[in-house]
Amino acid sequence: MAYLPAGMPAPQATREDAPFWTACNEQRLVIRHCNACHRFFHPPMPACPRCASTDVGWQEVSGTGTVFTYTVGYHATHSALKGHPPYNVAVVLLDGADDVRLVSNVVDVAPQDMKIGMPVTVFWDEISEGVNLPRFKKRLVQGSGAKDAA
Ligand SMILES: [Zn+2]
């Protein structure tokens, strides 16, 4: 079951980010990577925002990360959200991708239990047949002693 109601609009791919969404549908998280300065960047652009090189490619990342910040939505900002319980919108700092952060949701944590710094891992939310969005789930960190991890 999708995290947000079925009436929520699906992402509309552009020429720049279409490979990102195509990879998502294959349950792979890929991020733009500059072949000149070897830095990751997001959202996808035709040139590196750091060094302006157009020698850019895509690299798959693990999908683990931490909650950089978040908010909890209580108001229906879209008609499909009317009557829907509160939901979080999280900014996730990805591991192994420099300072790249994805705006997403953490699907298995109640609003009052969201925490900055929470370890998370990607979860593929199939919003319609063959269309997957990268959302996140709480991640157990080995040796952390976390008792409340799922
Ligand atoms: Zn660069």
Side-chain angles (χ1 to χ4, degrees):
M1 186 175 149
Y3 183 64
L4 295 176
M8 290 297 287
Q12 301 296 305
T14 66
R15 187 173 62 179
E16 292 310 321
D17 65 14
F20 173 85
W21 297 116
T22 298
C24 287
N25 294 341
E26 298 164 354
Q27 303 194 354
R28 295 183 304 114
L29 191 58
V30 298
I31 302 294
R32 266 291 196 210
H33 184 263
C34 177
N35 294 319
C37 72
H38 307 288
R39 299 280 301 182
F40 286 91
F41 60 92
H42 189 84
M45 289 176 264
C48 174
R50 199 169 295 264
C51 75
S53 172
T54 54
D55 183 9
V56 293
W58 296 92
Q59 280 195 17
E60 190 166 350
V61 296
S62 70
T64 63
T66 53
V67 174
F68 183 81
T69 191
Y70 68 93
T71 189
V72 175
Y74 291 93
H75 299 283
T77 53
H78 186 275
S79 58
L81 290 169
K82 277 190 186 141
H84 191 268
Y87 60 95
N88 65 69
V89 176
V91 177
V92 173
L93 177 65
L94 294 176
D95 291 342
D98 300 317
D99 57 358
V100 167
R101 288 163 262 185
L102 285 188
V103 178
S104 182
N105 316 95
V106 180
V107 301
D108 59 348
V109 177
Q112 66 274 16
D113 296 329
M114 284 294 292
K115 284 186 180 67
I116 289 171
M118 176 183 290
V120 291
T121 190
V122 74
F123 159 75
W124 296 105
D125 194 0
E126 188 170 33
I127 61 164
S128 62
E129 194 176 335
V131 178
N132 293 297
L133 297 185
R135 290 194 163 113
F136 289 83
K137 285 187 163 182
K138 196 171 174 180
R139 170 170 56 96
L140 176 64
V141 177
Q142 251 181 349
S144 72
K147 291 182 181 126
D148 59 344

